[in-house]
């Protein structure tokens, strides 16, 4: 038994059918997690569970987690219509709009569990990465329970992004709204990751609302990424640039994350499916060619799993394996199968579905975050933010019929 007498939901060992795992995710894991991770005293959800499935109560609550969960629970509710998912989405929304909101469309990075500022300047910053997920969460929840309040929150969120976080000189996103980050030129490095998730949020806003202004905004972000964060030599996604968007020195400039090659592939396929320029699939193909050449384990118990990090030439920098890149690789193969009907892509997606659940969930109270290339645990915590990755992978496979949805 765990929190509040809730029965622990240990993942089955030996299950091999992706549809069985999808049914377990929907029918066992999510109902259990909704009870276990919810903070009924201070509101919102805890940022993670221990490897025993107990909530970690002494960490700040972040905008990233609450916004991702608002998206995840709203997304799953739109797919399945289960009341506990809607209740969870409302719970995340209230906390997001309460202590995390600054009232002007911006959201601080984190607050303490008691809902008060942590006192750390970094937690008070409004980060573009976080804002992208706020936008994603708000618009997805809007598709579930539209209201004038929510419509206003969406407009305010975009207004904040446009006026505080988009560099008027380049159209690229600043890292956050602090003076160093918004200087001309900004200090430090600038990451592609906020741009990727802003593109995702804008596509979702177009999909939910049908308003073409969101697609126009998405295409402006895509143009920035194509100009500054794509390696023209091999089509790989550049993780970091210098503050002035010139090549970053050292490891920052060389780093390529396999999960992001795959995540961008899925996003570009979604963009085209929503009516975007089909020529962008050429870039998606280049990204996956790079990932497939150097980014997946070929032997051993983690065969088929995506590495965390390689360099621009494809040399492995980190042969560890986080959970989230596996889901993004799976989504990329789902998207390719939908586009071309290749049975090999279908099998890769199913194989990754099995790998995700047998290697990261099976026999555990919740899930683990990272393993080495032999499958040994490196990071045992069940981070709440990862449900965003897992839920979309599961539902994308269901959407195209690679594993049937079950009640």
């Amino acid at each position: 038994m765990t929190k509040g007498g809730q029965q622990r939901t240990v993942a089955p060992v030996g299950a091999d059918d992706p549809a069985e795992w999808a049914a377990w995710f929907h029918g066992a894991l999510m109902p259990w997690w909704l009870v276990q991770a919810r903070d009924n005293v201070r509101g919102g959800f805890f940022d993670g569970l221990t490897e025993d499935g107990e909530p970690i109560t002494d960490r700040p609550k972040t905008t990233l987690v609450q916004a991702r969960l608002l998206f995840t629970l709203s997304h799953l509710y739109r797919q399945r219509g289960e009341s506990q998912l809607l209740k969870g989405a409302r719970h995340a929304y209230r906390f997001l709009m309460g202590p995390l909101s600054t009232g002007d469309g911006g959201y601080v990075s984190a607050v303490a569990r008691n809902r008060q500022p942590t006192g750390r300047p970094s937690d008070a910053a409004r980060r573009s990465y976080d804002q992208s997920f706020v936008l994603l969460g708000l618009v997805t929840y809007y598709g579930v329970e539209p209201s004038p309040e929510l419509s206003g929150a969406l407009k305010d969120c975009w207004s904040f992004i446009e006026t505080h976080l988009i560099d008027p000189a380049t159209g690229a996103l600043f890292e956050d709204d602090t003076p160093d980050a918004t200087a001309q030129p900004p200090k430090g490095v600038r990451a592609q990751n906020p741009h990727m998730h802003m593109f995702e949020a804008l596509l979702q806003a177009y999909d939910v609302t049908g308003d073409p202004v969101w697609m126009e905004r998405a295409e402006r972000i895509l143009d920035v990424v194509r100009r500054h964060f794509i390696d023209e030599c091999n089509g790989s996604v550049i993780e970091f640039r210098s503050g002035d968007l010139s090549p970053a020195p050292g490891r920052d400039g060389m780093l390529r994350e396999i999960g992001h090659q795959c995540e961008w592939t899925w996003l570009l396929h979604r963009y085209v499916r929503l009516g975007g320029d089909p020529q962008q699939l050429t870039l998606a193909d280049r990204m996956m060619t790079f990932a497939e050449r150097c980014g997946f384990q070929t032997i051993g118990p983690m065969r088929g799993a995506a590495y965390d990090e390689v360099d621009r030439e494809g040399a492995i920098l980190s042969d560890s394996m986080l959970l989230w890149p596996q889901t993004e690789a799976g989504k990329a193969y789902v998207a390719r199968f939908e586009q071309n009907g290749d049975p090999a892509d279908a099998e890769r997606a199913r194989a990754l579905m099995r790998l995700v659940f047998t290697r990261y969930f099976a026999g555990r109270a919740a899930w683990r975050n990272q393993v080495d290339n032999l499958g040994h645990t490196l990071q045992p915590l069940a981070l709440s933010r990862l449900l965003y990755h897992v839920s979309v992978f599961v539902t994308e496979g269901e959407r195209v019929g690679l594993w049937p949805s079950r009640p």
Side-chain angles (χ1 to χ4, degrees), residues 93 97 142 145-156:
Y93 175 71
M97 299 305 294
Y142 183 82
E145 290 194 311
S147 68
E149 176 191 275
L150 194 47
S151 178
L154 267 171
K155 291 176 182 177
D156 290 346

Side-chain angles (χ1 to χ4, degrees), residues 18 303 346-356 358 393 403:
R303 183 176 181 270
E347 183 46 42
R348 286 294 297 270
R350 292 189 185 103
L352 281 157
M353 182 72 169
R354 288 189 289 268
L355 183 144
V356 162
T358 59
F393 179 30
W403 41 87

Side-chain angles (χ1 to χ4, degrees), residues 40-93:
N40 291 314
V41 176
R42 299 291 188 175
F45 291 92
F46 294 112
D47 275 30
L49 307 178
T50 68
E51 60 184 318
D52 295 323
E54 297 296 332
I56 301 171
T57 61
D58 59 351
R59 292 187 177 184
K61 291 204 182 83
T62 63
T63 286
L64 175 62
V65 167
Q66 306 305 317
R68 279 193 178 191
L69 292 174
L70 176 60
F71 163 78
T72 298
L73 297 169
S74 299
H75 170 73
L76 290 174
Y77 178 75
R78 294 179 81 199
Q79 309 299 311
R80 301 182 65 82
E82 295 168 356
S83 61
Q84 70 267 32
L85 296 168
L86 180 56
K87 291 176 183 177
R90 290 169 177 161
H91 190 71
Y93 175 71

Side-chain angles (χ1 to χ4, degrees), residues 142-341:
Y142 183 82
V144 171
E145 290 194 311
S147 68
E149 176 191 275
L150 194 47
S151 178
L154 267 171
K155 291 176 182 177
D156 290 346
C157 180
W158 178 253
S159 177
F160 182 86
I161 291 166
E162 202 167 36
T163 58
H164 291 78
L165 294 173
I166 293 181
D167 184 349
T170 64
L173 290 165
F174 296 124
E175 289 294 291
D176 54 50
D177 66 339
T178 59
D180 280 352
T182 57
Q184 291 293 342
K187 297 179 182 178
V189 296
R190 295 167 89 171
Q192 74 80 23
N193 208 4
H195 298 82
M196 180 179 71
H197 289 296
M198 194 66 71
F199 182 64
E200 177 185 17
L202 293 167
L203 290 182
Q204 180 78 343
Y206 174 68
D207 196 14
V208 170
T209 69
D211 188 337
V213 70
W214 295 109
M215 179 62 88
E216 293 166 8
R217 292 163 177 166
E219 290 181 326
R220 289 200 293 270
I221 293 292
L222 179 58
D223 180 62
V224 168
V225 171
R226 293 212 60 150
R227 283 187 287 116
H228 298 293
F229 291 99
I230 301 298
D231 188 328
E232 290 300 323
C233 293
N234 58 21
S236 62
V237 181
I238 300 167
E239 292 297 330
F240 297 106
R241 304 285 280 186
S242 294
D244 62 0
L245 295 175
S246 64
R251 193 179 191 279
D252 284 340
M254 293 190 300
L255 179 64
R256 305 291 187 267
E257 295 190 21
I258 297 302
H260 287 154
Q261 316 303 315
C262 299
E263 197 163 5
W264 264 111
T265 296
W266 175 74
L267 281 168
L268 290 172
H269 277 266
R270 187 182 186 202
Y271 163 70
V272 172
R273 196 170 73 247
L274 290 173
D277 177 12
Q279 294 301 314
Q280 300 303 328
L281 293 183
T282 301
L283 176 57
D285 289 342
R286 295 189 74 201
M287 292 171 177
M288 283 304 289
T289 296
F290 176 82
E292 290 177 324
R293 175 172 64 84
C294 61
F296 292 89
Q297 174 86 329
T298 59
I299 59 173
M302 295 302 295
R303 183 176 181 270
Y307 296 123
D308 288 341
E309 298 175 339
V310 301
D311 70 14
R312 63 170 302 186
E313 305 302 328
I316 297 170
L317 295 177
S318 300
D319 65 354
S320 55
M321 297 163 183
L322 288 158
L323 167 59
W324 73 264
Q326 319 315 321
T327 66
E328 297 310 315
K331 286 163 56 182
Y333 285 112
V334 169
R336 287 210 324 200
F337 169 74
E338 182 179 25
Q339 193 265 331
N340 60 30

